[in-house]
Amino acid sequence: MFSAGGTMETAQAVCADVDTPSAETDSAESWLHADEIIDLMIQLTDKSLLFSEPQNEETRFNFLETIHEFAREKLKQSGEESTIRNRHLAYFCQIAERVEIEIEYENQTAWLNRCEAEHNNMRAALDWSLQGGGDLRAGIRLAASLGLFWYLHSHFVEGLERSKVFLQKARELDDEKVLAKLRFRTADLHLHQAEYRP
């Protein structure tokens, strides 16, 4: 489900289970813990199925596209696609909300760069949230939180297009706070595009 790769932290957050498995419902072997994710990623890298590249102060991991397609197909066949993709969406929603706060302080550049590095993952998460099994509320929160990033990093056209889609969806739900934030961010993007008509 990752787009343009991810870090060890993102892989652990999305793919590792945080609960202790129940003996009645799951075998211990079917659960991956954070330390197992590290071992698996090292093994995949050693076998050249996964490649790593340094970026700023962290390492990003990615598949070759043919391997990526195979992995996507396996995810679909597992019956866990919706669960894993919604975890991916929830994680990047949390990151975007954190970025929105942190860019008001002294580490603005570092957080904006982190958001840029994960932008493809956030795009994929937004797209998923509009699908049948996607968590639409989380997608709306993500779009609302990305508004300032889109503005500050000059993603005006894309930001406006996506904001319009999620603004329409947000009107159908009952979260006034998120709707207000999304309206505000969308208005900022309209203003930069010199679009003054409602």
Side-chain angles (χ1 to χ4, degrees):
M1 81 300 292
F2 290 101
S3 180
T7 64
M8 188 72 74
E9 176 190 342
T10 59
Q12 289 174 313
V14 174
C15 301
D17 287 301
V18 294
D19 299 319
T20 302
S22 164
E24 298 175 359
T25 57
D26 296 284
S27 67
E29 290 79 17
S30 69
W31 290 66
L32 290 175
H33 299 284
D35 55 344
E36 293 176 294
I37 297 289
I38 295 171
D39 291 341
L40 286 171
M41 290 180 74
I42 290 170
Q43 290 174 34
L44 290 170
T45 303
D46 288 344
K47 294 175 181 176
S48 299
L49 295 174
L50 193 66
F51 63 90
S52 62
E53 50 191 353
Q55 188 175 79
N56 298 326
E57 297 178 3
E58 59 189 3
T59 300
R60 292 188 70 80
F61 296 86
N62 206 349
F63 288 110
L64 296 172
E65 191 53 36
T66 52
I67 303 297
H68 205 176
E69 285 296 327
F70 175 77
R72 282 192 201 107
E73 192 57 38
K74 284 294 189 185
L75 178 60
K76 288 177 184 176
Q77 292 171 7
S78 73
E80 297 180 353
E81 182 180 21
S82 292
T83 300
I84 296 294
R85 286 191 178 275
N86 281 328
R87 287 179 66 167
H88 176 269
L89 168 59
Y91 174 77
F92 283 105
C93 184
Q94 290 174 353
I95 293 296
E97 289 173 343
R98 176 89 187 272
V99 168
E100 191 178 30
I101 294 167
E102 295 291 345
I103 59 178
E104 298 292 338
Y105 299 100
E106 65 272 10
N107 291 326
Q108 180 186 80
T109 301
W111 282 97
L112 284 170
N113 289 342
R114 180 175 182 183
C115 200
E116 189 68 60
E118 298 295 2
H119 199 190
N120 282 333
N121 275 309
M122 294 180 181
R123 288 172 173 129
L126 288 170
D127 291 342
W128 168 252
S129 74
L130 296 170
Q131 303 302 311
D135 182 347
L136 180 58
R137 287 182 182 275
I140 292 169
R141 283 175 45 214
L142 175 56
S145 295
L146 282 173
L148 185 57
F149 162 74
W150 285 328
Y151 184 84
L152 293 174
H153 260 217
S154 304
H155 296 287
F156 304 116
V157 174
E158 177 186 4
L160 188 54
E161 288 175 355
R162 288 189 181 272
S163 291
K164 287 176 180 177
V165 170
F166 283 94
L167 184 58
Q168 184 59 41
K169 298 290 184 184
R171 289 188 179 111
E172 300 166 8
L173 301 178
D174 58 358
D175 192 333
E176 289 297 322
K177 183 177 177 182
V178 174
L179 177 58
K181 181 165 73 169
L182 191 50
R183 281 179 171 158
F184 179 74
R185 297 299 184 206
T186 305
D188 267 351
L189 292 164
H190 271 295
L191 187 61
H192 186 272
Q193 296 293 95
E195 296 180 4
Y196 305 114
R197 296 178 63 186

